[in-house]
Amino acid sequence: MPKFDVLTIGNAIVDILARCEDSFLEDNAIIKGAMNLIDAERAEFLYSKMGPAVEASGGSAGNTAAGIAGFGGKAAYFGKVAEDQLGQIFQHDIRAQGVHYQTKPDGLHPPTARSMIFVTPDGERSMNTYLGACVELGPEHVEEEVVAEAKVTYFEGYLWDPPRAKDAIREAARIAHENGREVSMTLSDPFCVGRYRAEFLDLMRSGTVDIVFANKHELLSLYETEDFELALGKIAADCKLAAVTLSEEGAVIVRASERVKIDAYAIDELVDTTGAGDLFASGFLYGYTQGRSLEDCGKLGCLAAAEVIQQIGPRPLVSLKEAAAEAGLI
């Protein structure tokens, strides 16, 4: 039996979250609802402008790994931090979730990545990310035995921003497929798709990636269309399996000609959408690696997303395993 259900690979980031008004975004030239890449100077400037903040380990794929472990799955993670305070926070948090994480930090420079996340009254999050130590991730950090022992290797599209990470992903995909495993990715962000559209399509069409996660905006950006049905048909043709989230409308899963619509779970209050897509992927992949139906996988994903958007921070404070049991899903 494989040692791990899912290995995730991503930018190891500590999130610094604060509430703000829409006018703050306008005054500081922050693109609402997007992930804005920034340099160290801009990071210091925005941090100085923030109100009271909450620090929480994040990073898209790290959140997904934590979610899988929260369901009771066996998760592993690759991602680079520095030997600084934020790096220690990140390492502690992900290991405390029960995730296998052994990527070695190298010194203090560049420092651990951080993302200043401004949450507006509508719950939308606008991320301003300084990648720092993330850019150091390369093929030498791919632990071959972990990839070989994971049913699915999952990575975030954001990894196409730091240059050497692409080589790490291609190496991991090679090892995974040589061992009969599958590879999955999330498109991450419409602006990320815009930067790397041709490369993302090639990853899918070449068979490097088997399973794709996207939200509606990312999917439409990928195929440069406003026709959602057209885009769904295209992604069904380009990869083995795709899961597309639709916010309060739930999600749709496509595999060849098969199409499964999943309703969203009712929530009491939308607090913060940070981590919604990451946690959807965690629920889906947990179900998928347990051999569950596509409908059950989608329900587990929607349940995890519903839990995380009712709190501040990208990793659920409740037990996903207990929530799934209460919902009759496990």
Side-chain angles (χ1 to χ4, degrees), residues 64 67-68 70-73 213 243 245 250-251 253 260-265 275-308 316 319-330:
T64 299
I68 290 162
F71 276 109
F213 291 87
T245 56
I253 320 299
V260 181
K261 178 69 174 67
I262 310 295
D263 291 331
Y265 280 81
D278 308 333
L279 269 294
F280 176 86
S282 73
F284 187 96
L285 288 172
Y286 170 74
Y288 185 78
T289 54
Q290 305 308 307
R292 302 293 293 273
S293 68
L294 292 184
E295 182 178 9
D296 283 353
C297 293
K299 286 180 177 179
L300 285 161
C302 285
L303 177 72
E307 292 292 349
V308 81
S319 166
L320 290 175
K321 188 173 185 178
E322 290 178 9
E326 287 178 14
L329 293 173
I330 59 175

Side-chain angles (χ1 to χ4, degrees), residues 77-137:
Y77 178 74
F78 297 164
K80 284 290 283 182
V81 297
E83 292 174 329
D84 54 17
Q85 184 181 6
L86 291 183
Q88 290 171 1
I89 289 171
F90 186 92
Q91 291 178 80
H92 168 270
D93 287 355
I94 199 163
R95 288 171 181 158
Q97 295 272 359
V99 176
H100 173 90
Y101 176 49
Q102 298 297 329
T103 309
K104 297 286 190 294
D106 297 315
L108 295 170
H109 300 285
T112 297
R114 70 286 315 264
S115 183
M116 269 68 71
I117 302 178
F118 296 95
V119 183
T120 39
D122 59 359
E124 186 60 84
R125 80 280 187 270
S126 305
M127 299 178 286
N128 302 267
T129 304
Y130 169 57
L131 288 176
C134 290
V135 301
E136 302 297 310
L137 185 72

Side-chain angles (χ1 to χ4, degrees), residues 249-271:
E249 295 178 17
V252 61
I253 320 299
V254 293
R255 179 168 58 188
S257 60
E258 187 178 4
R259 190 169 296 192
V260 181
K261 178 69 174 67
I262 310 295
D263 291 331
Y265 280 81
I267 61 170
D268 295 325
E269 181 188 8
L270 174 60
V271 175

Side-chain angles (χ1 to χ4, degrees), residues 229-252:
E229 289 300 319
L230 174 67
L232 268 185
K234 285 181 175 291
I235 200 167
D238 281 342
C239 63
K240 288 165 63 175
L241 175 62
V244 182
T245 56
L246 307 170
S247 299
E248 68 276 6
E249 295 178 17
V252 61

